[in-house]
Amino acid sequence: MANLRAIRKRISSVKSTQQITRAMKMVSAAKLRRAQDGINAARPYARKLRDVVTAVAARAGSDAHPLLTTREAKKLALLVVTSDRGLCGSFNSGLTRAVYRFLDEHRGEYEKITLFVVGRKGRDFFRRREIPIRKEYLGVLGSVSRHHAETVAGDLVGGFLAEEFDEVQIAFNEFRSAISQIVRFEKMFPIALESSGKTGEAEVDYLYEPSREEILATLLPKYVQAMLFRVLLESVAGEHGARMTAMDSATNNSVDMIARLTLQMNRARQATITTELTEIVSGAEALKG
């Protein structure tokens, strides 16, 4: 009977967990839809802004703004975007492991690598390994706003302009679908100059009012902020997609576990009843004798 009570208690516990995982799945599904709407709105804007910046910068030259100036990359700043909460599968662990490998492989390439971390999971990962963090941003992905993007962009741009680092990269999970997030490393700045004209066609230039340099001075900070805002939205959508998938898998596993425990409980009950019947029959036979 003690074993039977333990099985019933285990079934009750698994059912309670199942209710939690099912609720978390539904919440993440609702948040994912909103996050996808934000991504669909941010991607075209970021893409078009990049085209405009590239076109103007290519004609103005690398001397038009410090963010376009390429110098020998001896000091790297790496921004790692993770979540504040867990229970989202390999969303955080896959990214942090990729960053850890990156640091190990490029340690000899750069004289210094400075870490900026978004999210508690990333902060805790690097703290446990005693890897210094220049600055951490917590509670960002819970309610992403342009203010967050401006704050992070201001820190990174300020450090680059002060020549505290020569190159800035960002590591994040790019959202593909609810079941697919890809770890990406992107170079933020110095911004590479690319030709804006198509092959075989003459490039068309424009009259600028005010000058190209003044336009770039306004556009480039907005471009960096828009890029960071898009990355934060990608991470939010990826987190909810990963959590929804993980909770769906946990719910399905709990159904299978309850079925196995129920079968085990029925067998235990059957064994108990059989034992009791055997004892009754044995007692009756003893009385006859």
Side-chain angles (χ1 to χ4, degrees):
M1 290 299 293
N3 185 43
L4 194 58
R5 283 196 296 269
I7 295 174
R8 285 173 176 164
K9 188 176 181 180
R10 182 80 184 279
I11 291 175
S12 177
S13 175
V14 173
K15 285 183 177 178
S16 298
T17 303
Q18 184 187 59
Q19 292 177 347
I20 295 172
T21 56
R22 185 178 287 117
M24 291 182 67
K25 173 191 171 183
M26 295 173 63
V27 170
S28 292
K31 290 183 176 180
L32 175 61
R33 285 193 290 270
R34 292 196 295 269
Q36 282 181 298
D37 291 340
I39 283 293
N40 292 334
R43 279 175 175 170
Y45 175 79
R47 192 180 304 118
K48 193 62 180 177
L49 184 58
R50 181 181 181 85
D51 293 341
V52 172
V53 167
T54 300
V56 177
R59 294 177 176 89
S62 60
D63 297 332
H65 194 278
L67 290 180
L68 302 175
T69 304
T70 302
R71 49 182 183 256
E72 186 179 358
K74 295 182 178 179
K75 294 173 288 186
L76 171 69
L78 180 62
L79 175 66
V80 184
V81 183
T82 63
S83 69
D84 291 302
R85 299 187 301 150
L87 297 178
C88 48
S90 61
F91 178 82
N92 293 304
S93 59
L95 175 61
T96 50
R97 283 198 301 266
V99 172
Y100 192 71
R101 287 195 302 269
F102 177 89
L103 295 177
D104 187 54
E105 293 170 1
H106 294 79
R107 201 173 300 278
E109 182 179 343
Y110 299 98
E111 293 180 358
K112 182 181 180 182
I113 299 179
T114 305
L115 276 185
F116 292 79
V117 179
V118 174
R120 288 186 176 86
K121 291 299 178 180
R123 179 200 65 181
D124 295 343
F125 176 87
F126 294 112
R127 274 187 178 180
R128 285 194 298 269
R129 286 155 182 81
E130 298 182 351
I131 299 176
I133 299 174
R134 168 72 173 270
K135 191 167 184 179
E136 57 193 45
Y137 308 89
L138 306 181
V140 172
L141 298 191
S143 56
V144 175
S145 67
R146 293 193 177 274
H147 171 71
H148 293 133
E150 291 173 3
T151 301
V152 179
D155 293 336
L156 295 175
V157 171
F160 182 80
L161 296 181
E163 297 187 4
E164 294 178 9
F165 24 83
D166 307 310
E167 183 179 310
V168 179
Q169 294 190 32
I170 183 168
F172 66 101
N173 283 292
E174 183 180 55
F175 177 77
R176 294 292 179 85
S177 68
I179 60 173
S180 175
Q181 299 85 36
I182 308 298
V183 174
R184 289 283 305 275
F185 287 81
E186 287 188 5
K187 180 180 175 182
M188 292 184 63
F189 43 84
I191 299 169
L193 298 180
E194 301 174 2
S195 175
S196 60
K198 295 181 179 179
T199 305
E201 297 181 5
E203 291 191 4
V204 178
D205 203 355
Y206 304 92
L207 295 176
Y208 299 94
E209 181 63 36
S211 64
R212 293 191 185 101
E213 290 75 12
E214 292 179 83
I215 292 175
L216 284 173
T218 302
L219 277 180
L220 288 178
K222 291 185 180 297
Y223 165 71
V224 174
Q225 293 168 14
M227 182 180 180
L228 273 172
F229 186 60
R230 178 189 66 82
V231 165
L232 294 178
L233 291 177
E234 297 269 7
S235 295
V236 169
E239 178 189 355
H240 291 312
R243 182 171 290 112
M244 185 184 73
T245 302
M247 292 301 101
D248 181 60
S249 178
T251 302
N252 293 335
N253 290 339
S254 67
V255 172
D256 296 337
M257 185 177 293
I258 290 172
R260 290 195 302 270
L261 289 172
T262 302
L263 179 61
Q264 186 179 350
M265 181 184 68
N266 291 336
R267 286 175 176 172
R269 288 175 60 191
Q270 185 179 16
T272 302
I273 293 170
T274 301
T275 302
E276 291 175 353
L277 287 174
T278 302
E279 292 174 354
I280 292 172
V281 171
S282 299
E285 291 294 330
L287 290 174
K288 286 180 182 180

